[in-house]
Amino acid sequence: MRGKGTVTPLSSVFSVEDTQKAAKRVQDTIAQKDLELDHLRGFAADNTDLINLVARLPEHLHHDIMVPFGKAAFFPGRLVHTNEFMVLLGEGYYAERTSKQTVDILNRRGKVLESQVDSLKAMVQDLKAEASFFNATATEAAEGLVEIVEDYEEESSSDRECTPKQDYANNSRAVIAQPADEDEEFARMMARMDELEKEEREAESHMAQSDEDEQLQHGLHQLSDQKSLHGNLKISEQYQSRKPPEQTKDGIASNEDSFTDVPSGSGLVSKYEVSHENILGRDVKSVAEKDLVSPVVENVQTVPLSRSQVSLESSKPKFDREKAFTGSIVEHADNLQIKSRERTTAISQSSASQVSKPVSRFKMQRK
Amino acid sequence: MGSSSAQRELQRELEAKANDLSKIQKDISKNHQVRKKYTIQLGENELVLKELDLLSEDANVFKLIGPVLVKQDLAEARANVRKRIEYISAELKRLDATLQDMEEKQNSKKEAIFKVQQRIQSLQAGKAKA
């Protein structure tokens, strides 16, 4: 693979110790703030208790209590004037108030405390987010995670776009939005495709539509085989049965960064089969499918199955667009059929992968 | 030899600058603490003023001076609290200005240290080449 990027181990960008120290620092601040929060919460609890007490006192004219005397003594006494309170307003200022007024003062104080608690909580939240980020970076740096940066190659992608566009000029939806990538394989594929195209044009075959379809399908199968894990074929077939309305285009569009191999491959096949199902005699549509298939096929590459699943799912909603396509594609039907067939054949030939029975039949027919 | 003595000088410079920087940083942290205290006091005083304003005119207000509760005039108490609030706000503003000053000094010191470090590095690189 062409390596046109930089590989930077995370540990170099943020040294392991530094990240750990930073994480620790944030943890300490969090602990501090937590202590303060507990403090404030204690105040709030005391406040509510006091409010209850002050509210209850005026119920009696006098209360019999044990009065504290010094540090270690009490004596029995009486609490009189049960409705008069000397309330501390703050900063050494006291005010004489009744029970009800005192309760009001205490309530206001409680509100202030609450707002302080809320602001502290918000701070702790932010700190915790910071801490989690630091911890993550610390663990990543420790594990030796590497940051890979690769350039987006505009030129190569535009080149690839040209070739398919030539063939399917009527395909307005340039699904051929080839993902920008630096894969040599892809370039090779494209070059091979071009060669095969030429060969096809020279040697025109007049195979029956059904044969073409079969071949194309086999070719597609071959493609997916060759590019992706063996046995994906069957899985892709399963995919087809499960998600018929997959759109290859969507597969391509959704996988811009990676080559939509299995997904596109399976998507292609599924679409193809769907077209077959829906438009039995309509070669046009099948041709259209092929058109879509071919550019998608080019994108085929090894991709884990899970990814293909994702792309397949994402491609579902765009199925309707396909049906609108039918008319424009008719014109280039023959050329495209041949081209796609050529491509698939070429691809199958170029790759030294296993050839399933249908593929070999196709091969034999061609040569 | 000349280069090594120059290097030693540079390193001494670096140490001196580093000391200055740490001093400045300590000052900044002290400033922060005092600011915090003043901010809390300001908040409390504002609360007291609010309550005093809510009091009816004939209510008794007392001030705790040492162990003694001294009766105060409501209007007088209000005025006193207001003055305190103004004083604390002025102090806070002054502290803010000092803090800004110190931060600027800190930044300039950091840059100077960085330059000295660069010179040391270039010296060492030169030595290695030679």
Side-chain angles (χ1 to χ4, degrees):
Chain A
M1 259 214 236
R2 250 175 290 141
K4 256 198 195 177
T6 51
V7 173
T8 35
L10 267 181
S11 46
S12 67
V13 181
F14 319 103
S15 81
V16 187
E17 297 156 7
D18 280 349
T19 43
Q20 284 175 348
K21 269 191 230 161
K24 230 191 136 207
R25 254 184 288 140
V26 181
Q27 297 271 14
D28 288 339
T29 357
I30 289 185
Q32 248 186 346
K33 298 296 174 186
D34 273 341
L35 269 179
E36 281 185 35
L37 203 64
D38 286 340
H39 237 68
L40 282 180
R41 290 227 181 97
F43 288 160
D46 285 343
N47 206 20
T48 25
D49 288 342
L50 194 59
I51 289 177
N52 294 336
L53 178 66
V54 167
R56 278 189 307 111
L57 275 180
E59 284 170 18
H60 297 279
L61 279 173
H62 39 195
H63 293 265
D64 286 326
I65 56 167
M66 286 301 265
V67 186
F69 202 54
K71 279 191 203 168
F74 294 87
F75 64 77
R78 229 175 221 186
L79 206 61
V80 296
H81 296 282
T82 49
N83 203 25
E84 295 166 24
F85 292 86
M86 191 79 78
V87 190
L88 170 69
L89 306 173
E91 284 287 310
Y93 281 97
Y94 290 80
E96 261 188 338
R97 303 259 81 195
T98 68
S99 155
K100 197 159 160 288
Q101 290 160 334
T102 316
V103 169
D104 288 339
I105 293 179
L106 288 176
N107 276 328
R108 264 172 268 141
R109 208 179 283 172
K111 276 196 213 137
V112 171
L113 275 177
E114 254 188 57
S115 68
Q116 280 182 350
V117 167
D118 286 338
S119 65
L120 246 191
K121 266 197 223 167
M123 270 180 64
V124 171
Q125 283 243 14
D126 290 339
L127 281 175
K128 279 197 179 144
E130 227 186 292
S132 68
F133 167 71
F134 275 128
N135 281 334
T137 10
T139 41
E140 282 178 6
E143 287 171 9
L145 260 185
V146 155
E147 190 180 323
I148 307 174
V149 177
E150 289 180 349
D151 298 331
Y152 181 85
E153 294 183 3
E154 285 288 350
E155 308 164 6
S156 51
S157 60
S158 59
D159 282 342
R160 285 171 206 144
E161 278 188 327
C162 286
T163 25
K165 271 174 188 166
Q166 290 162 15
D167 305 325
Y168 318 99
N170 59 341
N171 196 336
S172 53
R173 244 195 269 154
V175 176
I176 309 161
Q178 313 272 343
D181 59 65
E182 316 76 9
D183 270 356
E184 281 180 350
E185 269 185 63
F186 193 79
R188 263 190 282 124
M189 288 290 310
M190 291 301 306
R192 248 181 265 127
M193 300 265 209
D194 294 340
E195 291 171 14
L196 294 166
E197 271 177 54
K198 290 175 195 166
E199 283 175 33
E200 272 288 345
R201 278 182 220 133
E202 288 162 15
E204 261 203 6
S205 67
H206 302 287
M207 304 184 103
Q209 281 295 329
S210 51
D211 286 343
E212 287 170 351
D213 298 340
E214 212 189 12
Q215 285 163 21
L216 188 61
Q217 202 166 22
H218 295 324
L220 284 169
H221 285 296
Q222 228 185 351
L223 259 179
S224 41
D225 250 355
Q226 130 201 120
K227 290 291 186 168
S228 55
L229 326 162
H230 299 302
N232 254 356
L233 232 195
K234 291 175 189 164
I235 303 171
S236 59
E237 282 173 333
Q238 285 170 20
Y239 264 131
Q240 293 163 31
S241 56
R242 264 186 266 136
K243 309 173 187 178
E246 304 285 33
Q247 286 249 339
T248 40
K249 278 193 186 170
D250 298 333
I252 301 170
S254 57
N255 297 346
E256 285 204 341
D257 296 337
S258 64
F259 284 102
T260 43
D261 349 329
V262 178
S264 50
S266 47
L268 285 172
V269 186
S270 61
K271 245 185 53 179
Y272 199 81
E273 290 196 339
V274 169
S275 67
H276 271 293
E277 291 164 25
N278 300 340
I279 310 149
L280 293 172
R282 286 218 222 151
D283 301 333
V284 176
K285 234 215 170 158
S286 61
V287 173
E289 304 291 358
K290 284 180 201 167
D291 293 347
L292 299 162
V293 169
S294 325
V296 177
V297 161
E298 291 162 357
N299 293 339
V300 172
Q301 275 193 16
T302 20
V303 157
L305 195 58
S306 56
R307 270 215 235 150
S308 65
Q309 283 175 337
V310 174
S311 60
L312 279 170
E313 283 164 4
S314 60
S315 61
K316 247 189 190 172
K318 298 182 190 175
F319 181 62
D320 294 332
R321 276 198 254 150
E322 261 307 309
K323 292 175 184 165
F325 230 33
T326 320
S328 55
I329 301 169
V330 184
E331 299 167 19
H332 299 256
D334 293 338
N335 293 344
L336 297 167
Q337 287 173 14
I338 298 165
K339 283 175 201 160
S340 55
R341 260 182 287 124
E342 274 291 336
R343 289 232 173 81
T344 52
T345 347
I347 294 165
S348 60
Q349 289 170 0
S350 57
S351 70
S353 59
Q354 303 160 11
V355 176
S356 56
K357 261 191 181 175
V359 174
S360 57
R361 239 187 296 142
F362 176 39
K363 249 183 153 181
M364 275 158 45
Q365 282 168 344
R366 295 297 303 149
K367 307 263 169 169
Chain B
M1 292 312 289
S3 60
S4 68
S5 69
Q7 197 180 27
R8 258 181 273 134
E9 263 186 45
L10 279 177
Q11 290 198 339
R12 257 180 270 140
E13 233 187 283
L14 189 71
E15 274 178 40
K17 294 229 156 81
N19 285 339
D20 290 339
L21 187 71
S22 63
K23 246 198 292 169
I24 291 182
Q25 282 177 337
K26 270 192 228 151
D27 287 339
I28 287 185
S29 65
K30 250 198 284 172
N31 193 310
H32 271 298
Q33 275 181 332
V34 180
R35 260 177 107 244
K36 244 197 251 177
K37 229 183 30 157
Y38 273 135
T39 322
I40 294 177
Q41 271 189 348
L42 183 68
E44 202 177 331
N45 272 296
E46 304 223 327
L47 196 61
V48 174
L49 189 61
K50 241 202 305 175
E51 292 289 346
L52 280 178
D53 288 339
L54 279 172
L55 277 181
S56 61
E57 288 304 323
D58 59 355
N60 296 328
V61 178
F62 298 83
K63 182 149 169 84
L64 188 68
I65 301 177
V68 182
L69 257 185
V70 180
K71 187 159 161 57
Q72 287 245 327
D73 187 23
L74 182 62
E76 204 184 318
R78 284 191 187 140
N80 282 343
V81 175
R82 280 206 196 94
K83 277 218 196 85
R84 221 151 162 211
I85 287 180
E86 282 174 22
Y87 171 71
I88 293 181
S89 325
E91 278 288 310
L92 264 181
K93 266 199 224 150
R94 199 174 53 86
L95 278 176
D96 273 344
T98 339
L99 184 71
Q100 280 257 6
D101 238 6
M102 286 203 279
E103 280 194 351
E104 277 173 34
K105 266 200 243 165
Q106 184 191 47
N107 286 338
S108 64
K109 282 280 171 197
K110 275 192 191 158
E111 280 175 25
I113 284 182
F114 188 59
K115 282 196 201 130
V116 172
Q117 280 180 335
Q118 276 183 329
R119 277 158 63 191
I120 289 184
Q121 278 180 357
S122 61
L123 245 189
Q124 284 183 337
K127 255 202 200 170
K129 279 191 200 161

